[in-house]
Amino acid sequence: MSTDTDTDMDTDAGTGAGVGSRTDVRHAVVETSLGGLTVVASGGAITGLYFPHHWYMPSDTSLGRRVDVHEDPLITQAAAQLGEYLDGERTAFDLPTRTNGDAFQERVWAMLREIPFGATTTYGELAERLGNKALAQSVGQAVGHNPISIIVACHRVVGSNGKLTGFAGGLARKQRLLEIEEPRAVKEARLF
């Protein structure tokens, strides 16, 4: 949740470890097989990961100063873990993150963090977990505004029929992320 003070608590996978200054916002563009991903950090936490042509890209001024990927240890670590994930060598991220949504968004984003690698869920299932299946559209809006794509795995949420639906980075990227996570047995079964 956002605060009105000069510092925010960094969240190290929800533990509340560390403190970062809002004036220490910076970003770098990490070249990947999905295109140049904009990684944003504030203090000691990753606060954004955006695709090229992202639907809800923040303004340039809110991204902070641009740094070289290898100039910033946290962004360097994020770039390395993203590369390992996209190469199929990593199934989870070990990075401090912080989001600043409203109470509902934070609840949805917390559920996204719980979806295991290789699994999917639906907007309706997330809404049911919140206690009201009628919240599915609101869940979809919160998922769509997730500021830390890939790391907070919004790509693991699909439509009620299993069909790929909206993704701020584009459906082709969502498909690619799900293919990376597809269990080996399923991949091999498709070959025959």
Side-chain angles (χ1 to χ4, degrees):
M1 307 246 306
S2 61
T3 64
D4 292 325
T5 63
D6 287 337
T7 60
D8 288 328
M9 291 299 293
D10 289 343
T11 304
D12 187 357
T15 64
V19 175
S21 168
R22 287 188 187 178
T23 60
D24 190 24
V25 178
R26 68 256 183 227
H27 75 282
V29 176
V30 176
E31 293 303 327
T32 73
S33 59
L34 297 176
L37 302 179
T38 300
V39 178
V40 183
S42 178
I46 299 297
T47 57
L49 195 155
Y50 302 97
F51 295 98
H53 311 292
H54 200 97
W55 288 354
Y56 304 108
M57 187 75 169
S59 68
D60 288 343
T61 57
S62 67
L63 296 176
R65 63 187 165 85
R66 185 168 180 163
V67 298
D68 182 84
V69 172
H70 304 292
E71 174 185 320
D72 186 281
L74 179 57
I75 293 176
T76 300
Q77 183 182 14
Q81 290 189 25
L82 282 165
E84 292 164 0
Y85 168 82
L86 293 171
D87 288 342
E89 299 168 0
R90 173 176 285 277
T91 60
F93 292 90
D94 182 25
L95 297 164
T97 62
R98 183 178 62 248
T99 54
N100 290 305
D102 62 35
F104 183 80
Q105 289 173 322
E106 291 294 339
R107 288 177 63 198
V108 172
W109 298 338
M111 289 190 296
L112 296 180
R113 289 178 173 97
E114 296 170 359
I115 305 169
F117 179 91
T120 59
T121 191
T122 68
Y123 301 96
E125 289 167 345
L126 292 176
E128 281 183 25
R129 286 184 55 199
L130 290 169
N132 185 349
K133 190 165 179 114
L135 291 173
Q137 187 172 18
S138 296
V139 166
Q141 291 173 350
V143 169
H145 283 86
N146 166 30
I148 312 177
S149 298
I150 304 175
I151 296 170
V152 177
C154 50
H155 60 277
R156 296 178 185 152
V157 184
V158 297
S160 61
N161 59 0
K163 189 173 180 177
L164 298 187
T165 57
F167 186 62
L171 290 181
R173 288 189 184 104
K174 183 172 189 169
Q175 177 68 42
R176 177 67 188 123
L177 293 169
L178 292 173
E179 287 171 357
I180 289 168
E181 297 187 12
E182 190 173 52
R184 174 176 241 142
V186 174
K187 287 179 188 176
E188 291 173 353
R190 278 191 292 133
L191 296 176
F192 302 104

